[in-house]
Amino acid sequence: MIPHDLPVWSTVYDYFRQFRRAGVWKCIHDSLRGQLRRQVGREESPSAAIIDSQSVKTTEKGGLADMTRARKSTAQTSSGC
């Protein structure tokens, strides 16, 4: 699905891989980020970051019930696991 005006995919991928290994993409990204931040009146380098803002639901129980031990199942399984 590469446009017809570009070289064959293997050549394009080879250049991409070389640029990635040499850090060219990171350099381009950092440079563009700095330029954009300056344009909007911020410092070039960010001063804070969010690692992961996802909330995860751990249980539907509440209070002390969360701390109670799970009961062993009385059902027998057919597999030997």
Side-chain angles (χ1 to χ4, degrees), residues 43-75:
E43 291 195 26
E44 189 173 324
S45 195
S47 59
I50 296 175
I51 301 297
D52 184 10
S53 63
Q54 181 179 6
S55 297
V56 178
K57 192 173 192 179
T58 58
T59 182
E60 292 190 18
K61 294 182 180 180
L64 293 175
D66 288 341
M67 305 304 283
T68 59
R69 249 185 167 180
R71 295 182 181 176
K72 290 185 180 180
S73 175
T74 57

Side-chain angles (χ1 to χ4, degrees), residues 12-73:
V12 173
Y13 180 70
D14 189 48
Y15 276 107
F16 167 77
R17 195 176 68 223
Q18 288 178 32
F19 288 175
R20 185 182 59 198
R21 286 182 180 168
V24 173
W25 294 122
K26 182 176 179 351
C27 183
I28 291 171
H29 175 266
D30 293 345
S31 178
L32 291 174
R33 182 191 63 223
Q35 289 176 25
L36 179 62
R37 290 182 62 86
R38 280 193 306 273
Q39 285 178 359
V40 296
R42 296 181 175 195
E43 291 195 26
E44 189 173 324
S45 195
S47 59
I50 296 175
I51 301 297
D52 184 10
S53 63
Q54 181 179 6
S55 297
V56 178
K57 192 173 192 179
T58 58
T59 182
E60 292 190 18
K61 294 182 180 180
L64 293 175
D66 288 341
M67 305 304 283
T68 59
R69 249 185 167 180
R71 295 182 181 176
K72 290 185 180 180
S73 175

